[in-house]
Amino acid sequence: MGASESLHSRPLIGRLAPSPTGVLHLGNARSFLLAWLSIRSRGGQLGLRIEDIDGPRVRSGAIESTIEDLQWLGLDWDGEVQIQSDQRTRHQQVLDTLTAAGLAYPCVCTRSEVEEAATAPHESIGVDAPVYPGSCRGRWSSEQQATEETGRDCAIRLAVSEDAIAFEDRFAGRCEGRIHGDFVIRKRDGTPAYQLAVVVDDLDSGVTEVLRADDLLPSTPRQMLIYRHLGAESPDYIHVPLVVGPDGRRLAKRHGDTSLAHYRREGVSPEAIIGALAHGSGWVEEGSRCRPEDLLARFDLSSLPTEPMVWSDDLV
Ligand code: GLU
């Protein structure tokens, strides 16, 4: 067991958790390749969960095309594909448990009320919300009472007792992240928030390793706090750098079409994509063609560059 691994042994279980809000692009492909390699190179189990709870942003046909893209790349998973929205009852049950324990509470504040009342300046660490001053904490005995008295729908917020959580990320190292006040774990429209759903689903699937892109690093302390409130141990976290365009900015539409579907249409092989991603990770020569399984013996998190990977179409 390496020094960076947990001292007590837990089964090694990871997951791929795409959101079907668009087509898979190279940035997603890299994170999924690394998540797959990290688990498969050590003989662990890997699940596939489609995170489709963000209703309005889910694009029709995107679940099917996501699965197709992953298969085209040569990534596989164990067991049935899980669909997050199938777990709505379970999410609600956890929300009820947290609320009954006084660890979460109904909140009728609108976004503009929160912005007005927020006293602390919003520090920009990637969490897109003002710090909530706790106006509804302890104000209502139930969601029903809050709705009856105000005529408004309620969100549910987690009652946050600490300001920041420090943790050891297996790639990013020691991290300390702010929680930014009582945060929403169920939206006003009744949908569970990403922070809650991801924790409940990972917990229910026994996930012990989460490898994902480091744009989600600021969410990690919030998720760890939910684990704590549920009396559960968090998974090991591995946050890897994003893929950026030649201008150093996060890969996006401005860099042209970097969707896997686009390269596939252009006749680029999955081996060329995997080869380019492996080259960007420092494991193979430029221009190599390979399948994910060819990289199993070379996968080494400690040799992965800490800088974002710069993509250019010349790589394929
Ligand atoms: N579904 C999330 C996304 O695609 C990833 C969630 C996670 O890995 O925790 O951004």
Side-chain angles (χ1 to χ4, degrees):
M1 180 186 282
S4 60
E5 291 181 34
S6 311
L7 288 173
H8 53 287
S9 65
R10 308 195 264 180
L12 178 60
I13 304 178
R15 47 51 161 197
L16 308 175
S19 295
T21 48
V23 289
L24 283 197
H25 58 76
L26 282 161
N28 307 122
R30 180 168 191 258
S31 312
F32 294 145
L33 173 65
L34 295 176
W36 186 92
L37 286 169
S38 180
I39 295 292
R40 292 293 192 225
S41 63
R42 289 175 294 149
Q45 296 278 309
L46 188 73
L48 172 62
R49 180 176 67 241
I50 306 284
E51 301 211 316
D52 64 337
I53 49 163
D54 201 355
R57 293 181 57 225
V58 171
R59 295 217 335 218
S60 103
I63 296 185
E64 295 72 17
S65 71
T66 298
I67 293 174
E68 239 172 68
D69 283 345
L70 291 171
Q71 287 170 332
W72 180 74
L73 283 173
L75 302 177
D76 67 349
W77 52 89
D78 302 302
E80 301 279 300
V81 177
Q82 288 168 32
I83 306 291
Q84 191 161 56
S85 57
D86 290 347
Q87 298 306 316
R88 287 288 290 266
T89 310
R90 170 73 180 136
H91 298 148
Q92 189 54 50
Q93 188 187 35
V94 172
L95 285 159
D96 291 343
T97 306
L98 290 170
T99 312
L103 297 166
Y105 61 88
C107 168
V108 295
C109 299
T110 61
R111 195 180 170 98
S112 56
E113 281 169 348
V114 174
E115 269 159 19
E116 248 166 60
T119 44
H122 173 221
E123 280 172 51
S124 178
I125 60 157
V127 177
D128 175 27
V131 179
Y132 180 67
S135 326
C136 281
R137 208 205 259 220
R139 193 167 160 205
W140 316 106
S141 60
S142 68
E143 194 175 338
Q144 194 191 358
Q145 185 209 10
T147 302
E148 272 169 17
E149 285 189 23
T150 62
R152 293 184 185 180
D153 292 330
C154 300
I156 304 285
R157 287 182 185 269
L158 197 78
V160 174
S161 43
E162 44 260 86
D163 217 28
I165 286 189
F167 62 99
E168 199 63 35
D169 185 283
R170 289 208 6 239
F171 184 74
R174 186 92 189 141
C175 297
E176 173 152 328
R178 298 281 312 278
I179 307 271
H180 288 268
D182 296 352
F183 59 92
V184 172
I185 52 174
R186 197 206 66 195
K187 300 185 210 167
R188 299 180 80 186
D189 66 5
T191 330
Y194 154 68
Q195 311 286 6
L196 179 95
V198 76
V199 167
V200 173
D201 294 351
D202 279 345
L203 196 53
D204 288 352
S205 311
V207 167
T208 51
E209 177 175 296
V210 168
L211 186 153
R212 57 191 180 191
D214 62 10
D215 56 335
L216 286 169
L217 200 49
S219 284
T220 306
R222 294 173 169 211
Q223 292 168 17
M224 291 180 79
L225 194 62
I226 299 177
Y227 278 99
R228 247 187 234 180
H229 276 6
L230 294 174
E233 195 178 352
S234 337
D236 289 341
Y237 288 105
I238 306 174
H239 286 92
V240 296
L242 289 168
V243 179
V244 297
D247 58 356
R249 292 163 76 194
R250 183 189 174 139
L251 213 54
K253 288 216 175 71
R254 61 180 160 263
H255 299 111
D257 193 347
T258 59
S259 68
L260 296 180
H262 161 77
Y263 292 108
R264 189 153 28 145
R265 272 196 306 273
E266 297 288 304
V268 175
S269 69
E271 290 80 7
I273 301 276
I274 299 287
L277 294 172
H279 170 64
S281 305
W283 301 323
V284 297
E285 306 271 293
E286 188 169 347
S288 298
R289 303 274 182 269
C290 43
R291 305 275 305 158
E293 54 270 27
D294 302 331
L295 300 169
L296 286 168
R298 289 175 227 218
F299 174 75
D300 176 12
L301 212 47
S302 66
S303 70
L304 195 69
T306 51
E307 296 303 310
M309 175 180 166
V310 183
W311 179 263
S312 99
D313 276 353
D314 307 341
L315 291 172
V316 286

